[in-house]
């Protein structure tokens, strides 16, 4: 949240999430303040991560989180623009979903301090595991790039032997 009473907005969203059917808030991180990343000039954000247990599908959870955003006054006018509340699904068990409307795990979460710092507050072992997976992924990418370079045929000048 970076509009209005930012802390109230976060706490109001958490209260509404607690009211969702078959959903229980199990952990709440500390709230941190961070500068905006990208988008137009705007004020700093307050950020928080919560852990929930739910029987809602990822799609139904997303739909309900977007309803909470709307009920709290969220208007999607400018990409990465200021907002009173922004609710994202970072992870959902071990689900991997890559669609236009929903990406799990959240595609840029590992690069964002405003996600990782509060996540580490409530799930330090998970953050370590995610960082290790990221490092392994980078190693594999480097190895694949080296293999691809070696596999390319060299460019030799054509000429006549004689």
């Amino acid at each position: 949240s970076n509009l209005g009473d930012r802390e109230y907005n976060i706490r109001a969203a958490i209260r509404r999430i607690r009211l969702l059917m078959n959903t229980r808030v199990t952990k709440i991180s500390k709230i941190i303040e961070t500068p905006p990343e990208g988008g137009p000039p705007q004020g700093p954000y307050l950020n928080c991560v919560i852990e929930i247990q739910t029987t809602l599908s990822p799609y139904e959870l997303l739909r309900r989180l977007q309803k909470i955003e709307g009920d709290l006054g969220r208007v999607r006018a400018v990409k990465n623009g200021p907002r009173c509340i922004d609710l994202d699904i970072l992870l959902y068990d071990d689900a991997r979903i890559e669609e236009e409307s929903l990406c799990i795990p959240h595609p840029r979460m590992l690069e964002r301090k405003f996600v990782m710092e509060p996540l580490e507050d409530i799930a330090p072992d998970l953050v370590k595991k995610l960082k290790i997976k990221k490092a392994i992924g980078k190693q594999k990418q480097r190895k694949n790039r080296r293999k691809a370079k070696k596999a390319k045929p060299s460019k030799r000048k054509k000429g006549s032997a004689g």
Side-chain angles (χ1 to χ4, degrees), residues 1-4 6 33-47 74-75 77-86 112 114:
S1 175
N2 77 336
L3 292 177
R6 301 173 301 161
E33 185 173 65
T34 58
E37 291 189 16
Q42 56 190 300
Y45 282 83
L46 288 185
N47 299 280
R74 168 92 190 255
V75 177
V78 178
K79 184 176 173 125
N80 295 322
R83 56 209 134 195
C84 61
I85 196 72
D86 183 19
R112 294 180 164 172
F114 66 85

Side-chain angles (χ1 to χ4, degrees), residues 21-162:
M21 178 182 63
N22 300 320
T23 301
R24 189 168 67 95
V25 175
T26 55
K27 293 181 184 175
I28 303 173
S29 77
K30 65 185 175 207
I31 294 174
I32 64 166
E33 185 173 65
T34 58
E37 291 189 16
Q42 56 190 300
Y45 282 83
L46 288 185
N47 299 280
C48 169
V49 171
I50 66 171
E51 177 185 85
I52 65 169
Q53 291 179 342
T54 187
T55 60
L56 299 173
S57 73
Y59 301 96
E60 183 61 20
L61 179 60
L62 176 64
R63 189 181 70 72
R64 295 193 186 191
L65 292 177
Q66 289 174 336
K67 169 122 176 45
I68 291 170
E69 289 177 332
D71 290 348
L72 293 174
R74 168 92 190 255
V75 177
R76 296 175 188 271
V78 178
K79 184 176 173 125
N80 295 322
R83 56 209 134 195
C84 61
I85 196 72
D86 183 19
L87 303 174
D88 291 319
I89 302 171
L90 303 175
L91 300 162
Y92 188 102
D93 289 329
D94 292 325
R96 291 203 162 282
I97 301 171
E98 289 186 37
E99 296 179 9
E100 190 174 322
S101 63
L102 180 61
C103 289
I104 297 175
H106 193 284
R108 293 169 305 282
M109 67 181 267
L110 296 175
E111 302 156 17
R112 294 180 164 172
K113 176 187 173 189
F114 66 85
V115 172
M116 297 307 289
E117 188 176 318
L119 181 59
E120 190 166 28
D121 185 43
I122 63 170
D125 291 341
L126 174 63
V127 169
K128 284 179 193 171
K129 182 177 151 186
L130 292 171
K131 287 179 179 178
I132 289 169
K133 279 185 175 181
K134 180 180 179 183
I136 290 169
K138 283 185 176 182
Q139 285 177 336
K140 285 181 180 177
Q141 285 178 339
R142 283 193 295 269
K143 198 179 278 188
N144 289 339
R145 280 195 296 267
R146 283 194 298 267
K147 282 182 183 177
K149 282 183 182 178
K150 287 180 182 177
K152 286 183 182 176
S154 61
K155 295 181 182 177
R156 296 186 179 177
K157 293 183 181 178
K158 292 184 179 180
S160 58

